[in-house]
Amino acid sequence: MTRNIFSVINIRDYWDQYVNIGKYPDCINELIFWRDNLPLLKAVDLVKNISNFHIFTDASDTGAAGFIQNSTKILHKMWLETETGRSSTWREVKAIQLCVSAFSKLLQNSIVTFHTDNKNAVSIINKGSKVQELQQLSLEIYRCCLLENITLHIIWLPRKENEQADLLSRIIDIDDWGISSEYFQFLDDLWGPHTFDRFANMDNNKVDKFSSLYWNPGSSAVDAFSCHWAQENNLLVPPVSLVCKCINHLVRCKAEGTLIVPSWPSSPYWPLIFDENTEYRSYVLDVLEFNEVDRILVSGNNLNSIFANGKFKGRILAVRLKATD
């Protein structure tokens, strides 16, 4: 938090030269930071305390991942197209920032050690960076730790000792697709407002509350089926393999929602929507069929999905479900 101040100091031609810091807003922001935060600084033990949590992170060409040691808590995110072109250092620091943000509530009031196989990431998080986008990431990590009272240590480890995080970062989400904002707005005007997006991630959620397959910053829950869906108007855009489970879970929860599925009469979920006479099941209020697929489906970061880039040529159903009676 002094990089811009020192940059201004170093532009002088001689020691006592006057510099108008009014021309340097970043320098002013740092001075304001110290003015506001010096009284809040807490005592820190000179001897390092034992960490409450150990988190291992890594970033590959396709995604970022991290996990809390001795737990099943895993963060995973596939890179957006705009993120794949960033430097490897940016991706490694971003993986750490995502973990800090996603796990922040679990890590409250704790000492946490992060393990990474990137030495540049260690230096940037400890000291910041002259590169603005890296400095911004380090500041986001700092602010989150300050807010949640997290004491963060970061250490380097050899790549061969970070294999689990490396493997997790290479996971390809074959169901990384969603619906367009335009289509969601149409459904929300018709059957909304929807209050919970049950099968989403931090890049494609349509409402503030969402559940994700892995831990994500902003996610309200991990694994949609671990939650009770009642008292919410649920947006349901599940992987095709989970549609049957999705309908059955909604019925068991006596909940309501809008389900988006391909129009596949031979699919296992078809009898859960229509009976043998093609009549609606008792919990189905309405079914709309759409053929403008290009305006409905949006590819995620897995461009090989059958629902990506115009590969899908069928029709889409919007099914209004209500099992609250």
Side-chain angles (χ1 to χ4, degrees), residues 228-234 247 249-257 282-285 320-325:
H228 200 277
W229 294 359
Q231 310 304 318
E232 301 283 359
N233 187 2
N234 301 279
I247 296 174
H249 189 75
L250 180 137
V251 172
R252 281 195 300 269
C253 291
K254 297 183 178 180
E256 64 179 317
S282 60
Y283 45 79
V284 176
L285 295 184
R320 185 60 187 172
L321 304 169
K322 187 173 183 181
T324 56
D325 297 334

Side-chain angles (χ1 to χ4, degrees), residues 213-259:
L213 179 59
Y214 300 100
W215 286 76
N216 272 197
S219 179
S220 301
V222 177
D223 182 2
F225 300 114
S226 67
C227 306
H228 200 277
W229 294 359
Q231 310 304 318
E232 301 283 359
N233 187 2
N234 301 279
L235 177 65
L236 307 168
V237 190
V240 172
S241 60
L242 295 179
V243 174
C244 291
K245 188 175 181 179
C246 174
I247 296 174
N248 288 329
H249 189 75
L250 180 137
V251 172
R252 281 195 300 269
C253 291
K254 297 183 178 180
E256 64 179 317
T258 301
L259 172 69

